[in-house]
Amino acid sequence: MPMDGGIGASTKRREDLRFLTGNGRYTDDINLRGQLYAYFLRSQVAHGRINGIDSAQAAAMPGVVRIFTGKDFEGVGGLPCGWQVTDKHGQPMQEPAHPVLAQGKVRHVGDPIAVVVAETAEQARDAAEAIVVDIDELPAVIDMKAALAADAPKVHEDLTSNLCYDWGFVEENKGAVDAAFAAAAHVTTLELVNQRLIANPMEPRVAVGDYDPWNDMSTLYTTSQNPHVIRLLMGAFVLGIPEHKLRVVAPDVGGGFGSKIFHYAEEAFCTFAARALKKPVKWTSTRSEAFMSDAHGRDHVTKIELALDADNNFTAIRTETYANMGAYLSTFAPSVPTWLHGTLMAGNYKTPVIYVNVKAVFTNTVPVDAYRGAGRPEATFQLERLIDKAARELGVSPVDLRRQNFIQPDQFPYATPVAVEYDTGNYDATMDKMLELADYAGFDARAAESAKAGKLRGFGIAHYIEACGIAPSNLVGQLGARAGLYESATVRVNATGSISVFTGSHSHGQGHETTFAQVVSELIGIDAGQVEIVHGDTSNTPMGMGTYGSRSLAVGGSALVRATNKIITKAKKIAAHLLEASEADIELKDGKFSVAGTDKSVDWAGVTLAAYVPHNYPLESLEPGLEETAFYDPSNFTYPAGAYGCEVEVDPETGKVTILNFTAADDFGNVVNPMIVEGQVHGGLAQGIGQAMLEACAYDADGQLLTGSYMDYAMPRADDLPAYTVDHSCVTPCTHNPLGVKGCGEAGAIGSPPAVVNAVIDALHRGGHTHVTHIDMPVSPARVWAAMQAK
């Protein structure tokens, strides 16, 4: 049994008390003395040439302090891209400039043209409406394939085309893959769309810039998942502010799902304007503004093929994907359809050879970047839909076809043909657990009951694997990353034994203040209530890479373990001195140091007090104090995996799909807090089901955003979601981090979309609609009904 508050305990999240009582401190809660307010005038056309901006009338309006345009940012750096991809010909990607404010052209609806800074938000908005912008509207390119036509309008005139890169992976496999397809006994082909999504975290983005002229210090308060990275990018590449003169603070953040990883123009603007005006400048996004300024997710169009031999063994996979970059390269956008997507195309299966081709395309749309799962959901959806289609073509069970091709436990570590090595796993175990919990054996009886009621019942299966905690830095550097991917922690023990932990990871819903304290509590043997977790402020936390990609515990937690072990090592030296014993004989258990084989001991508080009140202390050999810092750079990804089962009912009269049950059996390695893990899976399932059933971002041919509000963009509601059965009892610990943990935050969003669509196709086939082999997401009533009628 876990100790009270230690590893394995379902301790309630300590941070929830302040959130539930309205005492959270979010960026919009921050109001500084004398602050001004910014309002961004954004382009209403998707593509246009700016002939002139007349702001004279707006500048004379009440409360207006200054109006900024792109001219004010001439000589200022543009927003940087954090990952460079090299194409299959060895050439670097095309990387256009991304100005803070539009210079000469606008390239998507929502592109910022000018900013009014005024004494109130209302005055700034009113003045913005008085600005006259002379724009010659240009033809827009929205469709990716059309954007690559020789005569297509260029999003960026200084580029040779709208192709960012043409990436082949693994290029040397291509000949072997083609040969395997030529020799295949059966080939299954599927064309599908992974539609564009809008992240929609509960808290819209906010930025507050401040400047202290007396010490030349700039401070940015922002809704960010990684404040240290924002400081690095904005300081070094955009505004030219030395890091020791730039502080970035991300207080409580109300969700991110990837959309708050990136460095945005509004952050740079508010910091720049505060320095220029010598007053704080605040910007708060509206929800409508967020739809056209926050990075979007997904947006892939794919053709995928599977080759099988006469015994139904997978022999090769081949894919061709068009990936939308939008109008500019967001911070980590190039890596999502390549290194975060192509490397997962092996899935859980022992396919000998794989080739992945990705063409990244510029269009006149909002930039696209990482969204919960980031490349992994796209790869899983392609693969798991393809395998289901293959099983139907071959007339075999989708369960059996997967089992036959699973990597087996005795094959780990397993090097895939797409450049990653899985350290551990047991895919049959998670499949068995899911089928048991879902009562798969009783499905036929339930389907018969549905048929009596005139409904079609289906069961969909998906198995996923995810690569979390992107690593190591020396490898990703070779792959084009322009940042390290380590994590950091400082453990400061106070004189009376309480502990302050300063972490480079950032919590925006993950529960770090609870789980990180549980880890320290377990290692030392003290109550978790004695441990405080501090994050989000670059002025008092060590340089870290932030929170995304399910890396917090595997990478940030491992740094925390290293720092805490350094603390324990020094504390044992102090205890050895106090107990007049050899350091090698000192044992730590339940917060007490003792001499092995004796009854001599000193408690934790006694040792920590001696560290800071060194009256009887070996100053000649041991420094006072008890504080340590550690950095952890992982040697490999972690590879959580799981089996998901979705049971649906389809109304053949309307096409309406109802999810009746959803079962998730995940292998997350060792689990620190089961309750928090379950909550993370619940949230991921809601987002994945939202994509499968409801959500889709759409543009018209002129680049106007048709889904610019919740009137048109369908977010899942409580009555759209079923009760979940979630299990994480199948455990194969990660072999290369000290906690044996794997990521859990993105899993639900990765495995659920194909399970839902597979269930819908299964229901239609059971109802006699065998001509329906695929329906693109979202599987709305209109799409399902139309598919049934399209005989």
Side-chain angles (χ1 to χ4, degrees):
M1 293 293 291
M3 65 172 289
D4 183 29
I7 291 175
S10 287
T11 304
K12 290 184 178 180
R13 300 191 344 161
R14 60 171 69 175
E15 47 268 77
D16 286 349
L17 181 62
R18 70 175 186 272
F19 297 149
L20 294 172
T21 56
N23 291 300
R25 186 172 184 260
Y26 298 90
T27 308
D28 197 48
D29 295 322
I30 297 171
N31 293 292
L32 306 178
R33 183 177 180 182
Q35 77 183 12
L36 305 172
Y37 295 83
Y39 184 89
F40 283 75
L41 178 66
R42 300 182 182 276
S43 176
Q44 297 180 11
V45 301
H47 196 196
R49 183 166 289 106
I50 301 173
N51 297 319
I53 301 172
D54 183 355
S55 60
Q57 181 181 349
M61 292 178 69
V64 173
V65 175
R66 183 169 167 182
I67 297 174
F68 293 82
T69 66
K71 289 185 178 180
D72 295 292
F73 285 83
E74 292 176 356
V76 175
L79 304 179
C81 179
W83 200 297
Q84 182 187 68
V85 166
T86 300
D87 73 10
K88 63 185 182 183
H89 305 295
Q91 297 300 310
M93 66 188 186
Q94 296 202 89
E95 190 172 357
H98 186 177
V100 175
L101 297 179
Q103 296 180 356
K105 275 184 69 174
V106 291
R107 295 181 172 89
H108 67 86
V109 170
D111 210 357
I113 297 173
V115 188
V116 179
V117 178
E119 293 173 357
T120 70
E122 293 76 13
Q123 288 171 333
R125 184 185 62 239
D126 290 346
E129 292 178 357
I131 297 175
V132 178
V133 182
D134 180 8
I135 290 183
D136 286 338
E137 188 169 357
L138 302 171
V141 285
I142 307 303
D143 179 83
M144 286 184 280
K145 292 182 181 180
L148 296 182
D151 59 348
K154 286 186 185 178
V155 179
H156 298 271
E157 278 87 353
D158 54 328
L159 303 186
T160 59
S161 70
N162 291 321
L163 181 67
C164 178
Y165 56 75
D166 186 353
W167 185 76
F169 182 72
V170 175
E171 192 64 27
E172 52 265 33
N173 283 356
K174 191 173 187 304
V177 168
D178 292 343
F181 273 91
H186 182 84
V187 173
T188 293
T189 301
L190 180 62
E191 296 188 35
L192 49 79
V193 174
N194 205 298
Q195 78 271 34
R196 181 181 285 236
L197 300 177
I198 300 174
N200 285 303
M202 188 175 293
E203 178 199 24
R205 289 190 298 115
V206 184
V208 184
D210 193 18
Y211 178 65
D212 185 349
W214 302 109
N215 61 7
D216 193 32
M217 174 64 73
S218 290
T219 299
L220 170 69
Y221 302 90
T222 184
T223 46
S224 175
Q225 298 176 217
N226 48 358
H228 282 280
V229 173
I230 301 305
R231 182 179 69 159
L232 173 64
L233 295 177
M234 185 173 70
F237 298 102
V238 186
L239 302 182
I241 303 173
E243 284 184 89
H244 71 293
K245 292 297 183 182
L246 178 59
R247 175 190 178 202
V248 176
V249 181
D252 290 329
V253 172
F257 314 120
S259 70
K260 293 174 183 172
I261 298 172
F262 323 119
H263 179 35
Y264 287 99
E266 295 85 1
E267 295 168 322
F269 173 81
C270 288
T271 307
F272 177 89
R275 291 178 69 91
L277 301 175
K278 306 296 189 291
K279 284 190 174 184
V281 176
K282 181 175 185 176
W283 167 77
T284 300
S285 175
T286 65
R287 182 63 66 181
S288 296
E289 195 173 14
F291 270 77
M292 57 182 177
S293 64
D294 294 6
H296 293 172
R298 313 285 192 251
D299 208 350
H300 288 189
V301 176
T302 297
K303 177 182 178 181
I304 180 168
E305 300 169 284
L306 173 65
L308 304 96
D309 66 17
D311 296 320
N312 295 343
N313 297 306
F314 300 170
T315 60
I317 293 170
R318 183 167 57 195
T319 79
E320 182 179 2
T321 291
Y322 292 83
N324 204 334
M325 295 289 99
Y328 303 100
L329 290 178
S330 180
T331 307
F332 292 114
S335 69
V336 174
T338 52
W339 300 110
L340 299 183
H341 164 256
T343 52
L344 266 292
M345 284 310 306
N348 311 86
Y349 310 101
K350 50 192 178 190
T351 311
V353 286
I354 297 171
Y355 180 72
V356 180
N357 177 241
V358 177
K359 294 178 175 64
V361 185
F362 292 111
T363 63
N364 293 115
T365 61
V366 171
V368 176
D369 209 320
Y371 172 67
R372 198 170 192 167
R376 284 71 59 92
E378 296 91 316
T380 301
F381 186 72
Q382 295 168 33
L383 191 56
E384 291 301 299
R385 281 292 302 119
L386 181 71
I387 292 170
D388 246 46
K389 186 170 186 279
R392 296 195 185 285
E393 292 174 353
L394 295 166
V396 300
S397 159
V399 174
D400 293 343
L401 185 60
R402 287 176 170 86
R403 284 194 192 279
Q404 177 179 337
N405 289 281
F406 276 160
I407 301 162
Q408 295 302 306
D410 61 0
Q411 294 180 287
F412 292 99
Y414 184 86
T416 75
V418 279
V420 293
E421 182 175 279
Y422 305 157
D423 61 330
T424 184
N426 188 336
Y427 309 142
D428 279 305
T430 49
M431 180 70 87
D432 290 343
K433 178 60 69 172
M434 182 275 289
L435 295 175
E436 172 197 338
L437 295 174
D439 186 21
Y440 186 63
F443 172 77
D444 287 340
R446 296 191 298 275
E449 290 299 313
S450 292
K452 290 178 184 178
K455 302 294 178 63
L456 310 178
R457 187 180 285 242
F459 193 94
I461 293 165
H463 217 289
Y464 78 91
I465 188 167
E466 180 188 3
C468 304
I470 304 172
S473 288
N474 57 6
L475 171 62
V476 298
Q478 296 173 40
L479 303 182
R482 290 165 169 166
L485 289 168
Y486 54 85
E487 202 43 79
S488 62
T490 295
V491 177
R492 177 181 300 161
V493 182
N494 301 307
T496 55
S498 63
I499 298 174
S500 296
V501 175
F502 303 87
T503 173
S505 299
H506 184 276
S507 182
H508 46 279
Q510 292 82 2
H512 296 172
E513 293 174 35
T514 302
T515 54
F516 282 15
Q518 286 180 256
V519 171
V520 176
S521 164
E522 179 81 15
L523 292 174
I524 296 174
I526 59 175
D527 188 272
Q530 289 186 262
V531 184
E532 173 198 25
I533 307 299
V534 180
H535 63 93
D537 187 339
T538 62
S539 69
N540 62 13
T541 57
M543 175 73 173
M545 293 294 103
T547 296
Y548 42 84
S550 300
R551 73 191 303 269
S552 300
L553 200 57
V555 187
S558 294
L560 179 56
V561 169
R562 282 192 172 182
T564 304
N565 284 336
K566 288 182 180 181
I567 291 288
I568 292 170
T569 298
K570 183 173 181 181
K572 283 184 175 181
K573 295 179 186 290
I574 299 170
H577 171 73
L578 295 176
L579 296 171
E580 298 180 331
S582 167
E583 181 187 338
D585 293 332
I586 299 298
E587 296 177 340
L588 172 60
K589 185 178 180 181
D590 297 333
K592 181 179 289 187
F593 296 90
S594 60
V595 180
T598 75
D599 59 357
K600 296 173 64 177
S601 66
V602 58
D603 64 15
W604 172 254
V607 170
T608 61
L609 185 64
Y612 288 96
V613 186
H615 296 164
N616 176 22
Y617 197 87
L619 292 171
E620 68 283 355
S621 60
L622 199 60
E623 294 179 353
L626 200 51
E627 179 175 327
E628 297 287 350
T629 296
F631 289 78
Y632 175 76
D633 200 319
S635 60
N636 194 359
F637 299 89
T638 70
Y639 298 98
Y644 286 4
C646 178
E647 194 162 328
V648 303
E649 211 170 48
V650 177
D651 184 343
E653 297 297 320
T654 64
K656 178 176 171 55
V657 176
T658 301
I659 299 180
L660 303 173
N661 299 292
F662 200 103
T663 305
D666 297 289
D667 174 4
F668 294 135
N670 296 331
V671 171
V672 170
N673 188 310
M675 181 191 68
I676 288 179
V677 167
E678 185 170 347
Q680 287 284 302
V681 175
H682 281 198
L685 292 176
Q687 284 185 274
I689 291 170
Q691 174 174 15
M693 300 276 290
L694 297 159
E695 297 182 50
C697 174
Y699 285 89
D700 70 11
D702 295 322
Q704 290 297 322
L705 182 62
L706 299 177
T707 51
S709 76
Y710 291 145
M711 294 294 289
D712 305 294
Y713 189 91
M715 292 281 284
R717 300 170 299 183
D719 60 354
D720 294 311
L721 303 171
Y724 308 124
T725 300
V726 173
D727 177 86
H728 43 259
S729 65
C730 300
V731 175
T732 60
C734 177
T735 60
H736 55 78
N737 68 56
L739 291 168
V741 297
K742 304 177 184 181
C744 72
E746 298 167 295
I750 294 170
S752 55
V756 173
V757 178
N758 287 344
V760 172
I761 300 300
D762 184 60
L764 298 186
H765 275 244
R766 289 172 183 270
H769 300 281
T770 54
H771 65 284
V772 182
T773 59
H774 179 68
I775 302 174
D776 277 324
M777 299 182 291
V779 285
S780 63
R783 286 186 172 183
V784 174
W785 187 87
M788 288 190 291
Q789 309 311 310
K791 291 185 179 181

